[in-house]
Amino acid sequence: QVQLVESGGCLVHAGGSLRLACAASGSIFTIGTMGWYREAPGQPHQLVASITSGGSTNLPASVQDRFTISRDNAKKRVDLQMNSLKPEDTAVYYCNANIPIREFVWRAYWGQGTQVTVSS
């Protein structure tokens, strides 16, 4: 079975940095777009960053000058480097990976979430 395991979330002071990592395991031949989403209390999921298998990235303006997403296809891992963290970055961060389950059919897998708390 496919699993996504996240790590790196913790408490950090405003202005600090964190690096989140997500590794996929299981019966996986290839992985399409991978990304990170976050959910603050009372808020829906928000895209933080995504990256295609070819390395093209997409980040919203609120984080693109501070965050960087990268992936290692051999290790089936996607990382999120977060710098200059702000209290409004506080959220549960979820890893996402799109994986084909059969020809022409893709499924979105999600990690369990990791808490990032940025204090003032």
Side-chain angles (χ1 to χ4, degrees), residues 50-99:
S50 66
I51 183 168
T52 69
S53 60
S56 297
T57 62
N58 181 33
L59 295 85
S62 60
V63 305
Q64 65 182 359
D65 293 333
R66 301 182 293 121
F67 294 4
T68 302
I69 188 171
S70 60
R71 66 188 287 166
D72 185 326
N73 290 327
K75 296 181 178 180
K76 301 175 183 176
R77 197 176 89 178
V78 60
D79 290 1
L80 182 68
Q81 178 66 45
M82 303 186 293
N83 299 324
S84 302
L85 284 162
K86 305 174 181 179
E88 50 262 44
D89 294 319
T90 296
V92 178
Y93 285 69
Y94 296 90
C95 174
N96 163 258
N98 294 290
I99 299 173

Side-chain angles (χ1 to χ4, degrees), residues 7-47:
S7 62
C10 68
L11 172 66
V12 64
H13 195 271
S17 298
L18 284 175
R19 189 175 184 90
L20 306 183
C22 172
S25 63
S27 182
I28 302 171
F29 176 76
T30 188
I31 304 177
T33 298
M34 305 181 77
W36 290 91
Y37 294 73
R38 67 187 182 188
E39 184 176 356
Q43 301 296 320
H45 281 207
Q46 177 191 34
L47 173 69

